Amino acid sequence: MRTWSESMPVRVFKSSLALALIASVFLLGGGCSKGEPRRPKVTISGSVKLDGKPLGLKTIQFSSAATGDSASTLIGEDGNYEIVFEEGDVGATYDVTVYEPQDASVSASDLLDRRNQGNVISTVPLKYSDRSKSGLKAVVSQAGANTYDVEITSK
């Protein structure tokens, strides 16, 4: 049979160890929501025109040059769109592309092969589907609502 003096140091050690672990979790921020601040919600809306006429039923995509985050949406029949970044990059420049809506049953590499072979008919000139060639750049100036109208040409 153990005496009180033999088992007490083990119990005190185990209790102290448990308290130390719990304290370190809170001190290191594991139980807190601190850290990097959340980026604000950003909405970008506007119109897309090809040769001065509304360009509808195409896809518009914004890609942040700062973080690489991107989002796309279908442009309405009237040429208007709205896209939302739940966490946007205020002050950042976004690369913008406009292209034909994608067929979910076709892989990206097959689509690229078809386009390179001239087997994809598009009313949107090819350069606007490549973010390095489109020349379309949008700066998000504020949290919340932002406007970016796109004017592209067929020539």
Side-chain angles (χ1 to χ4, degrees):
M1 182 171 181
R2 287 186 174 174
T3 64
W4 177 84
S5 61
E6 291 173 345
S7 62
M8 185 61 175
V10 173
R11 286 185 187 155
V12 169
F13 175 75
K14 286 181 180 178
S15 297
S16 297
L17 181 61
L19 285 173
L21 287 172
I22 291 169
S24 66
V25 166
F26 284 106
L27 290 174
L28 295 175
C32 302
S33 61
K34 293 181 182 176
E36 293 206 22
R38 181 180 164 101
R39 295 178 290 161
K41 184 175 182 177
V42 168
T43 302
I44 307 169
S45 60
S47 64
V48 181
K49 292 183 179 176
L50 174 65
D51 298 327
K53 296 178 184 167
L55 180 66
L57 303 179
K58 306 299 179 208
T59 300
I60 187 165
Q61 179 172 343
F62 288 77
S63 302
S64 170
T67 63
D69 291 347
S70 67
S72 62
T73 192
L74 186 66
I75 302 166
E77 287 184 52
D78 60 357
N80 293 315
Y81 72 91
E82 180 176 279
I83 198 160
V84 176
F85 284 88
E86 290 300 323
E87 292 188 24
D89 298 321
V90 175
T93 299
Y94 283 75
D95 297 318
V96 181
T97 53
V98 178
Y99 50 89
E100 295 293 327
Q102 303 304 309
D103 180 350
S105 66
V106 178
S107 73
S109 61
D110 286 343
L111 185 64
L112 185 59
D113 287 342
R114 287 181 189 177
R115 183 164 256 191
N116 290 337
Q117 295 167 4
N119 294 334
V120 174
I121 298 172
S122 175
T123 56
V124 179
L126 185 60
K127 76 175 189 173
Y128 295 113
S129 66
D130 184 338
R131 65 190 272 191
S132 67
K133 296 177 184 174
S134 78
L136 302 172
K137 307 265 184 210
V139 176
V140 172
S141 59
Q142 63 189 11
N146 292 266
T147 302
Y148 180 70
D149 293 323
V150 179
E151 296 274 345
I152 60 177
T153 62
S154 57
K155 306 272 183 220

